[in-house]
């Protein structure tokens, strides 16, 4: 598992996480052996196509998953040395907001539109800090000011529908950050916003991080946002992390054919707008019955015989960069007979 941090700096360590959902159609294997670390004050981006398991991975950290139909079937999540997969619902409630907070795309569904902003922000403060309402109100006003809400005393009495989209995101960030959690998990926090407001919200994250040292897990479809915000990136595909590295490593030296495909299919800050983006042909596999070998094989123009038979394991490219692809694994030729000459040429091309 690559990391750019000393082990003492690691605040969150996820190891071989598997999450399944029981549905009428069978068991969805949504997350299939995800491992990563998050350093103190670090921003880790998670990217990948829709349905690859970004949100389920994120929600697993504080088990914000449907209680009766979801299961962490394997793996561990260690936060400041505590094993989170073993916590009771009561312990998780204490952890959420005070230690690990989540921010979602849509404040209207994530927050309660029938309770005033003041009550919602103060509720968390009183629950986690056990302080008086007067003191909680003071902290709430300070926090709203910090996230750029003018006239916070008056705003406390208002309801969500009285704010613009950008303001609502600021409110959600204020509620998430008010108890000074160590980790903020933001699941597409700016996707619904226009570009100018998006930039302001991203600046707000940066400011909060600078001020409090909070670690951030940022889920986004936007590689421009990744380039602007993240230290490291996990690329997910079909419930697995297929490549992980620093922003520079992933953008400049992508190794996995899927990462290369994503880079070609998603706009970036440095994308030449005159060149067309190339979507990745095909669709992700069915997570009810994931393929036996590499999940990307059906869409991969480099696929070799070994790819269909065995799942590739993580291979280190550098101390901070790893990839799960047989092309990078020296054992590929030992596992199966060597690929045909034409495949070798394709693989290196
Ligand atoms: N409550 C649920 N019940 C059954 N399956 C679920 C549930 N939530 C998620 N899944 C499945 O788990 C897989 C991963 O979903 P997830 O929401 O993590 O994707 P994602 O990467 O966040 O996608 P997006 O970019 O669209 O938000 C998908 O196949 C999804 O259909
Ligand atoms: S393991 Fe094989 S199929 Fe999968 S991405 Fe690598 S080359 Fe393609
Ligand atoms: Mg999602």
């Amino acid at each position: 598992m690559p990391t750019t941090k000393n082990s003492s700096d690691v605040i969150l360590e996820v190891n071989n996480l598997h999450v399944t959902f029981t549905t009428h159609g069978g068991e969805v294997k949504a997350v299939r052996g995800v491992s990563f670390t998050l350093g103190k004050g670090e921003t880790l981006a998670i990217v990948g196509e829709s349905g690859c398991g970004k949100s389920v991975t994120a929600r697993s950290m504080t088990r914000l998953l449907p209680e009766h139909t979801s299961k962490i079937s394997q793996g561990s999540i260690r936060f400041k040395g505590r094993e989170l997969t073993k916590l009771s619902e009561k312990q998780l409630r204490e952890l959420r907001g005070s230690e690990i907070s989540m921010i979602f795309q849509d404040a209207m569904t994530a927050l309660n539109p029938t309770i005033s902003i003041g009550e919602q922000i103060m509720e968390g403060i009183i629950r986690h800090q056990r302080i008086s309402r007067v003191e909680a109100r003071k902290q709430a006003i300070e926090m709203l000011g910090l996230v750029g809400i003018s006239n916070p005393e008056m705003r406390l009495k208002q309801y969500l529908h009285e704010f613009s989209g950008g303001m609502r995101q600021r409110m959600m960030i204020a509620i998430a950050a008010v108890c000074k959690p160590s980790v903020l998990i933001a699941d597409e926090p700016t996707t619904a916003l226009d570009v100018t407001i998006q930039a302001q919200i991203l600046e707000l994250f940066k400011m909060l991080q600078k001020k409090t040292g909070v670690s951030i897990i940022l889920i986004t479809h936007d590689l421009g946002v990744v380039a602007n915000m993240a230290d490291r990136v996990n690329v997910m595909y079909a419930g697995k992390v297929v490549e992980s590295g620093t922003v520079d490593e992933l953008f400049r030296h992508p190794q996995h054919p899927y990462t290369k495909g994503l880079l070609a299919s998603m706009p970036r800050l440095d994308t030449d707008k005159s060149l067309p983006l190339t979507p990745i042909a095909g669709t992700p596999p069915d997570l009810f019955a994931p393929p036996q070998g590499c999940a990307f094989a059906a869409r991969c123009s480099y696929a070799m015989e070994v790819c269909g038979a065995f799942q590739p394991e993580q291979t280190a490219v550098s101390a901070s960069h790893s990839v799960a692809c047989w092309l990078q694994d020296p054992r590929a030729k030992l596992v199966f007979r060597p690929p045909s000459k034409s495949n070798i040429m394709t693989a290196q091309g």
Side-chain angles (χ1 to χ4, degrees):
M1 193 189 337
T3 167
T4 52
K5 300 270 165 185
N6 296 324
S7 54
S8 60
D9 286 339
V10 170
I11 191 161
L12 185 69
E13 184 171 357
V14 177
N15 240 312
N16 195 28
L17 181 71
H18 288 252
V19 184
T20 58
F21 291 97
T22 307
T23 71
H24 292 304
E27 192 178 70
V28 184
K29 295 164 188 74
V31 172
R32 307 185 301 133
V34 162
S35 300
F36 65 88
T37 58
L38 178 69
K40 221 172 166 188
E42 181 179 42
T43 300
L44 172 71
I46 304 182
V47 300
E49 284 168 302
S50 186
C52 68
K54 304 181 296 293
S55 296
V56 174
T57 299
R59 286 170 167 270
S60 301
M61 300 303 112
T62 58
R63 235 178 299 149
L64 273 180
L65 294 166
E67 198 184 335
H68 299 295
T69 54
S70 70
K71 189 164 119 194
I72 295 182
S73 53
Q74 247 191 82
S76 95
I77 303 170
R78 290 194 79 77
F79 170 71
K80 294 185 176 173
R82 271 172 100 190
E83 178 55 54
L84 300 190
T85 57
K86 304 271 185 286
L87 296 190
S88 65
E89 184 51 39
K90 182 168 177 281
Q91 289 171 315
L92 286 167
R93 272 201 301 273
E94 307 239 311
L95 183 93
R96 292 180 196 130
S98 69
E99 289 281 21
I100 303 180
S101 275
M102 285 207 65
I103 294 159
F104 300 95
Q105 181 176 331
D106 181 9
M108 282 307 262
T109 47
L111 302 180
N112 192 332
T114 65
I115 300 178
S116 72
I117 287 301
E119 286 304 324
Q120 293 192 65
I121 191 166
M122 281 161 57
E123 193 252 310
I125 304 172
I126 293 168
R127 171 148 44 95
H128 293 303
Q129 300 179 25
R130 298 194 169 83
I131 54 175
S132 70
R133 277 186 69 81
V134 175
E135 190 54 37
R137 190 165 184 279
K138 218 170 109 195
Q139 281 193 27
I141 289 169
E142 258 172 43
M143 193 65 207
L144 288 184
L146 186 67
V147 300
I149 305 278
S150 56
N151 202 355
E153 285 94 339
M154 189 269 283
R155 296 297 201 176
L156 281 182
K157 296 182 206 125
Q158 293 187 308
Y159 292 81
L160 270 186
H161 68 267
E162 298 177 69
F163 295 94
S164 66
M167 285 288 197
R168 283 181 205 146
Q169 283 311 86
R170 287 177 193 272
M171 297 293 179
M172 187 153 49
I173 294 169
I175 291 171
V178 72
C179 291
K180 301 192 177 56
S182 306
V183 177
L184 272 181
I185 303 177
D187 192 347
E188 305 202 35
T190 59
T191 305
L193 304 174
D194 73 44
V195 179
T196 320
I197 309 292
Q198 171 173 329
Q200 291 171 4
I201 297 294
L202 294 175
E203 280 312 308
L204 176 56
F205 278 113
K206 280 190 185 164
M207 183 273 287
L208 274 177
Q209 189 168 51
K210 212 167 157 194
K211 224 174 154 71
T212 65
V214 68
S215 308
I216 298 177
I217 296 179
L218 177 65
I219 296 172
T220 175
H221 279 110
D222 187 331
L223 295 180
V225 170
V226 174
N228 182 14
M229 297 291 294
D231 300 304
R232 285 191 301 131
V233 192
N234 281 350
V235 180
M236 286 191 71
Y237 186 74
K240 287 174 176 288
V241 175
V242 295
E243 186 160 5
S244 175
T246 64
V247 168
D248 207 47
E249 286 167 332
L250 267 267
F251 280 22
R252 285 181 197 275
H253 308 290
Q255 301 293 316
H256 199 286
Y258 178 63
T259 311
K260 292 179 187 174
L262 273 187
L263 290 172
S265 69
M266 290 182 179
R268 299 153 52 175
L269 289 178
D270 59 352
T271 299
D272 180 347
K273 303 284 183 291
S274 65
L275 296 173
L277 295 167
T278 322
I280 306 173
T283 50
D286 179 0
L287 291 179
F288 285 105
Q292 177 186 335
C294 172
F296 191 59
R299 303 170 78 184
C300 180
S301 51
Y302 304 105
M304 302 169 283
E305 208 170 338
V306 63
C307 305
F310 298 99
Q311 294 191 15
E313 289 176 11
Q314 294 287 340
T315 305
V317 180
S318 76
S320 54
H321 188 180
S322 76
V323 60
C325 172
W326 281 114
L327 287 176
Q328 306 300 327
D329 193 326
R331 295 170 305 171
K333 54 182 176 297
L334 305 174
V335 178
F336 238 65
R337 67 183 167 76
S340 67
K341 202 174 170 196
S342 61
N343 269 348
I344 295 174
M345 286 167 68
T346 328
Q348 291 170 346

